[in-house]
């Protein structure tokens, strides 16, 4: 820690920061603190930020220097406005009663669906008609710049991501991440944050970060929110959730429960040219699952400036997939069918995961210094019991049974300390995490155990990290700099193969953020970050998972991490218009690859480290407000891609230009009854990934909502991918590898949802005010 401090202090003139906060309290004429007051901040009639008072207190964060207009509104009180300059001291607002206000009319301010902040893009799921009603996985795919790829990996603005929830990494990927988020209703999410260049306080893992923030009810007393959704595609699915919060005195108890039943399908079609024959496979897979997600937390205020909290989260899921997989084998000229192979598969899957957290927060010097401690233990397990049965017109029958179990234990602890050093705001921290995974794969063919095809794989990963962030503002220049140091040990051992792979490495990961304000309407921004992308343990498991006698998936225990450079230069005009030039290069990139063996006719998926993946482009984003009932958020980008590596017995150097665009529009039809509509359209141009050539994708979604039951209930109706166009088509033509595959998950869905809020907006009357009150507003 001392070494990092010395290094950063020598670079102080190059660093800077940032933004100021406005804190304040709202009281009535008798001096009682008022809860649930809507605070809005605007600049030159443009919306900047909003907050809701909690126990009479509010905070507006991340504000640049300048003049603003602040407004406070609450039912039963006269509206309040004042002008102020940032930075400013804490303010006190006195609201006078309004005896003439009409009964039943509530004044409120809603956040826009998409907010573009200096360091992240915020997708307010709770304000999106389209995203609020399905699963969290569906909502994630609707976030700006986020793409769900054919292999269920996620990218944000064409970069790999690490997914967080409430500021903590989920440590899930691939099918495990999909299963978890598909069982979590999107009604439990308040927003999704996309950080294309995360600061040093985040782990260095991933080219970018997606942070899913769940809902917390912050009002006094007992408050409950209920949600139910029905989704209709080819089959019917449904989910529901309940979120509650009880706050009284020093105690705050909160939690939620969600249940989801999913019934859907997936189609995979593969054409393979083996030279002397042509194979065409159609895999129609029907999937069902039942998932329970829950969370229960308690915060207790030990003293005026200390809070101790405990939090338990869990999920349990069970499901089944049934595949009907006919394969037609043609002659080389595709004129005749030489033979057929019929495969039927059944895979019963289950899983459970828990996280036990203890956290402690201490504020000192009236909040100028703070210490936060977190300790997490997360056991996680999955199981799969797969049967594959094949009959062929030209070969003997094939019957295999492959039970698989995976046990993962994750232990992590971290400490974060924030303080001031002259003009500088400083945050430093340390973290240690340990991951242990035990994977057992048993291969049984025609009721006979096959030890040479079975596998027992153990993987451990230990990472120690230190970081420091510095930030300050010098006139028009805002600078923030950070440095994260990580030391990692990994060990992967296949007991069956007696194969050991070990690696230890120490890396420094710098970040830099510069913002220069030309005037009130124009500002420039430069960011740089160096990050690491470590392969998940599932990618390194060498067990073979067969979908047919000739098709399987196998991990690669020799995978090494990739390293990422991110550079962005941006210009912002009047807060609503931005243009960003971006450059990302990934060295030693690891990715999924398909390999066809033209002799054995095996076609399998594995993972491999390749060479360079580079992406450079320009992104333009704009927010328009043509009228007070119509908001438009548009984004478009053009990119130059390069994929370069030695691979198999050759070398490729692929280059191409691609593009994408997204348009989100919201319409307020009747403000009194909360009737609104939303339409979203996105287009993703063709692209490349190693030797894969992707065709373009497009999607259009529609949604409407209305408030009912005196504003406490909301009904939503949405239609996703109304033209059923979101389909992956990929072709490969490299050396003797010639194939095409089509991947289609069910995307055209209609969703009907209903939500209802229980509890009163109780005004909190307290006889004393301490600096620790804002501790009760912290995110868990």
């Amino acid at each position: 820690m001392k070494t990092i401090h010395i290094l950063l202090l020598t670079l102080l003139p190059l660093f800077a920061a940032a933004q100021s906060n406005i804190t304040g309290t709202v009281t009535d004429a008798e001096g009682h603190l008022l809860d649930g007051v809507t605070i809005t901040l605007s600049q030159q009639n443009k919306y900047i930020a909003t907050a809701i008072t909690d126990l009479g207190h509010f905070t507006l964060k991340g504000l640049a220097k300048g003049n603003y207009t602040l407004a406070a509104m609450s039912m039963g009180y006269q509206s309040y406005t004042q002008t102020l300059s940032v930075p400013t001291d804490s303010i006190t607002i006195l609201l006078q009663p309004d005896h003439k206000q009409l009964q039943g009319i509530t004044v409120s301010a809603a956040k826009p669906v998409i907010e573009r902040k200096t360091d992240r893009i915020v997708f307010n799921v709770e304000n999106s008609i389209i995203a609020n009603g399905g699963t969290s996985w569906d909502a994630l795919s609707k976030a700006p710049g986020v793409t769900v790829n054919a292999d269920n990996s996620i990218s944000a603005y064409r970069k790999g991501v690490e997914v967080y929830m409430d500021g903590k990494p989920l440590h899930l990927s691939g099918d495990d991440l999909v299963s978890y988020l598909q069982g979590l209703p999107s009604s439990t999410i308040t927003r999704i944050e996309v950080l294309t260049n995360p600061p040093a306080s985040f782990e260095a893992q991933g080219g970018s970060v997606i942070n899913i923030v769940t809902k917390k009810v912050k009002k006094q007393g007992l408050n409950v929110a209920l949600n139910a959704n029905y989704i209709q595609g080819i089959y019917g699915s449904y989910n529901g959730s309940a979120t509650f919060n009880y706050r009284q005195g020093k105690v705050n108890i909160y939690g939620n429960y969600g249940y989801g039943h999913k019934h859907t399908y997936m189609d995979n079609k593969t054409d393979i040219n083996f030279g002397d024959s042509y194979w065409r496979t159609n895999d129609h897979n029907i999937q069902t699952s039942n998932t329970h997600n829950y969370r229960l937390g308690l915060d207790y205020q030990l003293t005026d400036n200390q809070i101790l909290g405990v939090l338990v989260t869990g999920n349990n899921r069970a499901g089944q997939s049934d595949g009907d997989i006919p394969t037609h084998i043609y002659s080389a000229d595709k004129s005749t069918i030489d033979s057929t192979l019929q495969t039927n598969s059944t895979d019963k899957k289950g899983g459970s995961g828990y996280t036990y957290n203890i956290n402690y927060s201490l504020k000192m010097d009236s909040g100028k210094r703070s210490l936060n401690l977190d300790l997490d233990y997360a056991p996680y397990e999955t199981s799969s019991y797969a049967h594959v049965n094949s009959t062929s017109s030209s070969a003997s029958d094939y019957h295999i049974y492959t039970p698989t179990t995976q046990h993962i234990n994750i232990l992590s602890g971290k400490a974060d300390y924030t303080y001031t050093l002259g003009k500088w705001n400083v945050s430093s921290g340390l973290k240690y995490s340990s991951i242990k995974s035990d994977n057992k794969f048993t291969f049984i063919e025609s009721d006979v155990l096959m030890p040479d095809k079975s596998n027992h794989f153990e993987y451990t990963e230990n990472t120690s990290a230190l970081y420091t962030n510095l930030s300050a503002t010098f006139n028009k220049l805002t600078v923030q700099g950070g440095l994260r140091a990580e030391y990692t040990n990994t060990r992967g051992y296949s007991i069956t193969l007696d194969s050991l792979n070990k690696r230890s490495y120490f890396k420094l990961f710098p970040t830099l953020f510069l913002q220069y304000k030309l005037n009130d309407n124009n500002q420039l921004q430069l960011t740089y970050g160096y990050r690491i992308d470590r392969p998940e343990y599932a990618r390194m498991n060498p067990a073979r998972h067969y979908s047919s006698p000739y098709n399987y998936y196998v991990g690669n225990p020799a995978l090494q991490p990739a390293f990422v450079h991110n550079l962005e230069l941006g210009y912002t005009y009047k807060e609503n218009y931005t243009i960003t030039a971006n450059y990302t290069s990934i060295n030693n990139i690891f990715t999924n690859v398909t390999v066809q063996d033209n002799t054995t006719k095996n076609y399998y998926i594995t993972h491999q480290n390749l060479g360079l993946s580079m992406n450079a482009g320009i992104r333009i984003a704009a927010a328009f407000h043509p009228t007070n009932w119509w908001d438009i958020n548009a984004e478009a980008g053009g990119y130059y891609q390069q994929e370069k590596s030695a691979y198999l017995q050759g070398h490729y150097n692929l280059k191409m230009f691609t593009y994408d665009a997204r348009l989100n529009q919201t319409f307020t039809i009747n403000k009194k009854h909360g009737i609104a509509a939303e339409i979203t359209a996105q287009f993703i141009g063709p692209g490349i990934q190693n030797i894969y050539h992707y065709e373009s994708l497009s999607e259009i979604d529609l949604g409407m909502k209305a408030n009912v039951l005196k504003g406490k209930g909301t009904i939503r109706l949405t239609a996703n991918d109304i033209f059923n166009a979101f389909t992956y088509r990929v072709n490969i033509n490299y050396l003797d590898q010639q194939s095409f595959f089509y991947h289609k998950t069910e995307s055209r869905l209609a969703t009907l949802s209903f939500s209802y809020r229980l509890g009163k907006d109780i005004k909190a009357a307290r006889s004393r005010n301490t600096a620790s009150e804002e501790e009760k507003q912290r995110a868990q």
Side-chain angles (χ1 to χ4, degrees):
M1 179 75 73
K2 183 177 179 181
T3 302
I4 296 176
H5 278 184
I6 294 173
L7 176 61
L8 290 175
L9 289 173
T10 61
L11 300 177
L12 283 178
L14 299 178
F15 290 174
Q19 303 149 333
S20 299
N21 299 337
I22 297 177
T23 60
T25 58
V26 182
T27 68
D28 61 14
E30 298 178 352
H32 294 150
L33 295 170
L34 298 181
D35 193 26
V37 179
T38 300
I39 308 296
T40 58
L41 195 70
S42 60
Q43 190 177 57
Q44 298 179 346
N45 296 321
K46 299 295 184 181
Y47 165 89
I48 301 299
T50 188
I52 305 295
T53 59
D54 181 34
L55 299 177
H57 296 263
F58 68 89
T59 302
L60 298 166
K61 298 181 179 180
L63 305 174
K65 287 184 178 180
N67 297 321
Y68 296 87
T69 299
L70 183 143
M73 295 173 288
S74 182
M75 182 178 176
Y77 294 91
Q78 297 178 16
S79 297
Y80 172 94
T81 60
Q82 77 171 87
T83 58
L84 50 82
S85 297
V86 172
T88 184
D89 295 330
S90 179
I91 62 176
T92 300
I93 298 172
L94 173 63
L95 293 186
Q96 298 292 340
D98 185 359
H99 303 292
K100 297 181 180 180
Q101 189 176 56
L102 295 176
Q103 175 122 13
I105 298 179
T106 303
V107 180
S108 62
K111 294 181 181 179
V113 174
I114 298 172
E115 296 179 276
R116 301 185 185 277
K117 299 183 180 294
T118 54
D119 64 343
R120 68 195 66 192
I121 297 170
V122 179
F123 179 47
N124 290 306
V125 174
E126 61 184 348
N127 292 336
S128 170
I129 302 170
I130 292 171
N132 193 350
T135 69
S136 296
W137 179 256
D138 299 328
L140 187 65
S141 67
K142 307 299 181 187
V146 175
T147 302
V148 177
N149 302 311
D151 61 349
N152 284 333
S153 63
I154 305 170
S155 59
Y157 294 105
R158 303 181 182 268
K159 293 186 288 187
V161 304
E162 184 74 4
V163 178
Y164 283 58
M165 182 164 286
D166 294 327
K168 299 178 181 179
L170 279 177
H171 293 297
L172 296 175
S173 62
D175 293 339
D176 291 333
L177 179 63
V178 175
S179 298
Y180 176 74
L181 294 180
Q182 282 184 343
L184 186 67
S186 62
S187 55
T188 62
I189 296 176
T190 179
R191 66 184 183 273
I192 295 174
E193 301 173 338
V194 181
L195 294 86
T196 58
N197 208 357
S201 55
F202 285 83
E203 292 185 4
Q205 167 69 19
S208 54
V209 163
I210 293 177
N211 184 32
I212 300 172
V213 182
T214 58
K215 290 182 178 178
K216 290 101 180 170
V217 182
K218 295 184 177 181
K219 292 175 177 146
Q220 278 282 344
L222 177 64
N223 293 271
V224 180
L226 305 174
N227 291 272
N229 312 286
Y230 180 78
I231 304 104
Q232 183 64 54
I234 299 298
Y235 309 99
S237 303
Y238 51 87
N239 62 63
S241 67
T243 301
F244 81 93
N245 188 90
Y246 176 76
R247 176 172 295 193
Q248 193 67 43
K250 295 183 177 182
V251 177
N252 181 40
I253 304 173
Y254 60 94
N256 67 266
Y257 168 76
Y259 171 76
H261 170 77
K262 193 171 183 66
H263 192 178
T264 185
Y265 77 90
M266 178 176 64
D267 280 338
N268 290 294
K269 299 179 181 179
T270 307
D271 287 12
I272 310 168
N273 185 357
F274 285 114
D276 58 355
S277 62
Y278 191 91
W279 292 41
R280 176 167 292 167
T281 300
N282 295 312
D283 181 359
H284 181 70
N285 199 281
I286 298 175
Q287 303 169 336
T288 59
S289 64
N290 296 283
T291 307
H292 303 263
N293 284 276
Y294 37 89
R295 178 178 62 171
L296 181 64
L298 168 67
D299 282 340
Y300 183 78
Q301 188 161 357
L302 300 170
T303 65
D304 288 345
N305 60 354
Q306 297 181 82
I307 287 182
L308 179 65
V310 293
L311 175 63
V312 178
T313 62
N315 75 90
N316 306 98
R317 65 179 185 274
Q320 180 171 314
S321 63
D322 297 284
D324 177 19
I325 315 168
T327 299
H328 298 291
I329 303 172
Y330 293 82
S331 58
D333 60 3
K334 307 180 192 177
S335 60
T336 58
I337 297 179
D338 293 335
S339 61
T340 60
L341 176 69
Q342 176 62 45
T343 301
N344 297 96
S345 65
T346 299
D347 189 1
K348 294 182 178 180
K349 298 180 178 181
S352 62
Y354 307 92
T355 301
Y356 305 95
N357 168 265
I358 298 176
N359 55 85
Y360 170 78
S361 177
L362 170 65
K363 284 222 168 181
M364 299 162 280
D365 299 337
S366 300
K368 293 180 181 180
R369 293 187 296 139
S370 66
L371 174 67
N372 291 279
L373 304 175
D374 271 279
L375 181 64
D376 290 273
Y377 172 63
Y380 179 79
E381 64 179 31
T382 61
S383 61
S384 169
Y385 301 92
H387 293 263
V388 175
N389 299 290
S390 295
T391 57
S392 173
S393 59
S394 61
S396 58
D397 293 350
Y398 183 78
H399 305 284
I400 64 171
Y401 171 52
T402 54
T404 306
T405 58
Q406 176 180 242
H407 296 271
I408 302 171
N409 286 298
I410 303 172
L411 179 65
S412 64
K414 68 173 184 175
D416 297 291
Y417 180 56
T418 61
Y419 54 100
T420 58
L421 188 64
K423 282 188 174 182
W424 298 88
N425 297 316
V426 186
S427 61
S428 301
L430 56 89
K431 181 176 182 180
Y432 174 79
S433 63
S434 173
I435 300 172
K436 295 182 179 180
S437 175
D438 187 287
N439 308 268
K440 295 180 180 178
F441 174 81
T442 304
F443 193 101
I444 300 173
E445 184 174 352
S446 300
D447 297 326
V448 177
L449 176 65
M450 310 292 287
D452 59 323
K453 294 184 178 181
S454 301
N455 192 69
H456 187 183
F457 179 68
E458 296 178 341
Y459 178 77
T460 59
E461 179 178 295
N462 300 311
T463 301
S464 303
L466 299 173
Y467 83 89
T468 292
N469 271 332
L470 292 168
S471 62
T473 299
F474 301 95
N475 297 322
K476 295 183 177 182
L477 178 65
T478 294
V479 184
Q480 178 175 289
L483 184 64
R484 187 178 186 95
E486 291 191 356
Y487 178 71
T488 302
N489 282 295
T490 65
R491 180 183 183 273
Y493 179 52
S494 174
I495 297 174
T496 306
L497 302 176
D498 192 21
S499 173
L500 177 65
N501 288 274
K502 297 176 66 176
R503 183 175 173 85
S504 298
Y505 52 91
F506 174 79
K507 286 287 183 180
L508 295 176
F509 301 99
T511 60
L512 178 65
F513 167 78
L514 300 173
Q515 186 180 60
Y516 187 76
K517 189 173 183 180
L518 301 170
N519 51 48
D520 288 341
N521 293 328
N522 300 272
Q523 67 181 26
L524 298 173
Q525 180 176 307
L526 173 70
T527 63
Y528 169 76
Y530 180 57
R531 298 181 63 77
I532 189 173
D533 201 3
R534 300 182 181 92
E536 306 90 342
Y537 26 83
R539 291 180 184 259
M540 295 185 284
N541 189 342
R544 292 188 179 189
H545 298 268
Y546 283 80
S547 58
S548 82
Y550 299 93
N551 302 94
Y552 60 88
Y553 166 86
V554 59
N556 180 1
L559 282 180
Q560 303 295 325
F563 296 93
V564 186
H565 291 275
N566 288 325
L567 180 65
E568 293 186 357
L569 176 63
Y571 165 72
T572 302
Y573 175 67
K574 287 189 174 180
E575 304 288 339
N576 288 324
Y577 311 95
T578 62
I579 180 169
T580 304
N582 59 279
Y583 170 83
T584 300
S585 68
I586 307 175
N587 295 292
N588 201 40
I589 184 174
F590 59 84
T591 182
N592 58 300
V593 294
T594 54
V595 180
Q596 68 179 72
D597 188 323
N598 293 330
T599 302
T600 64
K601 304 301 187 284
N602 282 328
Y603 188 81
Y604 62 94
I605 299 173
T606 187
H607 301 273
Q608 185 167 327
N609 285 101
L610 299 172
L612 171 70
S613 178
M614 187 275 290
N615 184 78
I618 294 178
R619 190 167 67 245
I620 299 173
F624 305 98
H625 311 281
T627 69
N628 59 1
W629 53 266
W630 184 15
D631 291 320
I632 301 173
N633 202 297
E635 184 177 60
Y639 311 90
Y640 175 76
Q641 289 184 284
Q642 181 182 18
E643 300 283 330
K644 181 180 179 181
S645 180
Y647 180 54
L648 298 178
Q649 291 77 42
H651 186 280
Y652 62 84
N653 187 6
L654 304 176
K655 303 173 184 178
M656 74 172 296
F657 177 80
T658 187
Y659 45 89
D660 57 37
R662 177 187 174 91
L663 179 66
N664 176 274
Q665 300 181 80
T666 57
F667 308 89
T668 302
I669 299 171
N670 185 306
K671 192 171 184 179
K672 179 178 179 181
H673 297 289
I675 302 176
E678 182 180 353
I679 179 170
T680 297
Q682 68 168 326
F683 178 85
I684 302 171
I688 52 176
Q689 176 189 335
N690 57 75
I691 60 172
Y692 296 164
H693 291 258
Y694 287 84
E695 297 183 16
S696 58
L697 296 164
S698 62
E699 182 177 9
I700 296 178
D701 307 322
L702 302 172
M704 291 193 68
K705 80 165 185 81
N707 293 339
V708 295
L709 303 177
K710 298 181 180 180
K712 288 188 172 290
T714 302
I715 295 177
R716 294 179 175 87
L717 178 63
T718 64
N720 290 291
D721 193 15
I722 58 176
F723 296 110
N724 204 28
F726 201 82
T727 303
Y728 290 94
R729 293 177 173 86
V730 183
N731 66 77
I732 300 170
N733 188 3
Y734 174 75
L735 300 179
D736 60 353
Q737 312 282 296
Q738 296 181 13
S739 61
F740 167 84
F741 60 89
Y742 161 108
H743 177 78
K744 174 66 177 176
T745 56
E746 189 171 23
S747 55
R748 182 160 60 182
L749 301 167
T751 302
L752 178 65
S753 63
F754 173 73
S755 61
Y756 186 75
R757 296 170 297 279
L758 299 170
K760 297 180 179 180
D761 296 341
I762 304 171
K763 302 293 185 270
R766 295 175 62 86
S767 59
R768 64 193 187 97
N769 178 22
T770 69
S772 65
E773 290 299 330
E774 66 181 58
E775 280 293 333
K776 295 187 178 181
Q777 304 177 39
R778 67 190 179 103
Q780 303 302 317

